[in-house]
Amino acid sequence: MDFTKLPSILTPDLGLLFWMLLAFLVVLFVLAKFGFPAIIKMVDDRKNYIDESLKKAHEASERLENIKQEGEAILQDAREKQAQILKEAADTREAIVQKAQEKAKSEGARLLSEAKAEIEGEKQQAIRDIRAQVAELSVQIAEKVLREKLSTDAEQMKMIDRLLDDVTSTN
């Protein structure tokens, strides 16, 4: 390939190379003086922003984990308190049932003793009534027997003498 026949843009001469190098150095100097620091500053700011965002996200994640743990602890505590309240309620219920049973037993015993006392009183009253009736019947029978035996005056006098003799002999 023959390079002499190529267009001049592809094969620049020394003067053009010098001016292109000078323009490149000026642009490079301006970029190095003003552009690169601004770009580096923006990249560093962006890096710092991303780092801080990651740090905040990590802190938020840790806080969220702490909150989850606290929530679990609170939930566990609530479950324990619920179990304790249910146990206390069951104990209270049992105590109330036991107290009611004891009260029912004592009330039943009291009613039973009252019924027994009432039955005993009625029994004693019935016995007194029967005794009174027996005594009255005995007196009536004795009266009838004595009337028949002592229908005459002589028999009456004989009976009186015999009773007097019994009384004096016992004394």
Side-chain angles (χ1 to χ4, degrees):
M1 199 169 208
D2 187 17
F3 290 114
T4 55
K5 293 187 183 176
L6 290 174
S8 68
I9 190 104
L10 294 177
T11 58
D13 61 7
L14 206 54
L16 182 62
L17 271 176
F18 171 75
W19 288 113
M20 283 176 45
L21 181 64
L22 183 67
F24 176 74
L25 290 176
V26 169
V27 169
L28 182 66
F29 175 75
V30 170
L31 282 177
K33 182 79 175 167
F34 301 108
F36 289 145
I39 292 172
I40 290 174
K41 183 180 180 294
M42 284 192 301
V43 168
D44 284 343
D45 289 346
R46 181 69 179 163
K47 180 184 173 281
N48 290 337
Y49 176 76
I50 290 171
D51 288 343
E52 275 202 35
S53 295
L54 287 174
K55 182 180 174 184
K56 286 180 182 178
H58 183 66
E59 289 173 0
S61 176
E62 287 177 356
R63 277 193 227 140
L64 182 61
E65 188 62 33
N66 289 340
I67 290 171
K68 282 182 182 179
Q69 290 175 352
E70 288 175 9
E72 287 295 323
I74 290 170
L75 189 59
Q76 182 64 28
D77 190 38
R79 286 182 186 137
E80 289 173 2
K81 285 182 181 179
Q82 178 187 16
Q84 182 182 5
I85 289 170
L86 288 175
K87 184 181 179 290
E88 288 175 1
D91 291 344
T92 303
R93 177 184 51 97
E94 288 176 12
I96 289 171
V97 167
Q98 185 176 5
K99 189 182 279 186
Q101 287 175 344
E102 289 173 3
K103 187 175 180 180
K105 284 180 183 177
S106 66
E107 185 68 19
R110 184 186 65 81
L111 290 175
L112 185 61
S113 66
E114 285 179 4
K116 284 182 180 179
E118 187 177 330
I119 289 171
E120 186 62 32
E122 289 178 8
K123 178 181 167 185
Q124 293 299 325
Q125 181 63 37
I127 290 173
R128 282 193 297 272
D129 288 346
I130 290 172
R131 283 185 182 163
Q133 288 176 3
V134 166
E136 187 179 326
L137 286 174
S138 297
V139 168
Q140 288 176 2
I141 290 172
E143 183 182 335
K144 285 183 181 180
V145 168
L146 286 176
R147 275 194 190 156
E148 284 184 21
K149 265 188 160 182
L150 303 174
S151 57
T152 64
D153 285 336
E155 287 177 2
Q156 287 177 4
M157 284 309 285
K158 193 176 173 187
M159 176 78 148
I160 291 173
D161 286 340
R162 192 171 34 107
L163 287 175
L164 284 174
D165 287 340
D166 284 344
V167 170
T168 55
S169 66
T170 56
N171 285 339

